[in-house]
């Protein structure tokens, strides 16, 4: 049951984070909304990333959600940190030939 609770929590958090980004994109521009919603979406997305890392999971969708929230806020350095933290993005892998044999 604990796994089901984790899944439900993660799903609800992802939905809430994405909903905040949708509101920002689709509702008429509002300064309060513009100030609050990106930070809210980022906070929830980061919580998901932390939860996944604790469980040894790495969901591309969760990372993308976090990147979207950071992009809206122009947090480029933080976006780079998330990309660099992805499994397989270390320097050894960057310099290795691709699956097609092209470096």
């Amino acid at each position: 049951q604990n796994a089901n609770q984790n899944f439900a929590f993660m799903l609800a958090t992802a939905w809430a984070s994405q909903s905040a980004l949708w509101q920002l994109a689709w509702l008429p521009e509002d300064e309060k909304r513009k100030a609050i919603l990106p930070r809210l979406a980022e906070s929830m997305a980061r919580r998901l990333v932390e939860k996944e890392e604790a469980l040894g999971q790495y969901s591309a969708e969760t990372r993308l959600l976090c990147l979207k929230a950071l992009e809206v806020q122009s947090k480029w350095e933080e976006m780079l940190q998330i990309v660099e933290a992805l499994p397989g993005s270390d320097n050894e892998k960057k310099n290795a030939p691709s699956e097609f044999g092209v470096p």
Side-chain angles (χ1 to χ4, degrees):
Q1 178 150 359
N2 196 18
N4 286 339
Q5 288 174 337
N6 278 338
F7 177 75
F9 166 79
M10 293 173 74
L11 186 62
T13 304
W15 179 256
S17 181
Q18 182 60 62
S19 294
L21 293 174
W22 284 333
Q23 289 179 48
L24 189 64
W26 295 340
L27 292 178
E29 193 165 317
D30 176 89
E31 287 304 313
K32 289 180 185 177
R33 216 181 347 257
K34 195 174 178 181
I36 294 170
L37 291 177
R39 292 194 317 243
L40 178 63
E42 176 190 354
S43 173
M44 289 184 285
R46 284 189 181 276
R47 207 174 298 162
L48 284 172
V49 168
E50 290 170 5
K51 186 78 166 169
E52 283 186 354
E53 287 173 350
L55 296 171
Q57 300 172 347
Y58 298 93
S59 161
E61 292 83 4
T62 301
R63 297 323 186 267
L64 182 58
L65 183 59
C66 197
L67 289 171
K68 285 180 183 179
L70 292 168
E71 181 182 22
V72 170
Q73 301 172 80
S74 300
K75 292 185 174 181
W76 313 118
E77 288 294 321
E78 293 180 38
M79 289 176 70
L80 182 59
Q81 290 171 0
I82 288 176
V83 170
E84 288 176 340
L86 291 171
S89 64
D90 59 327
N91 287 331
E92 287 179 25
K93 302 235 177 185
K94 286 180 186 172
N95 295 326
S98 75
E99 62 186 284
F100 300 108
V102 178

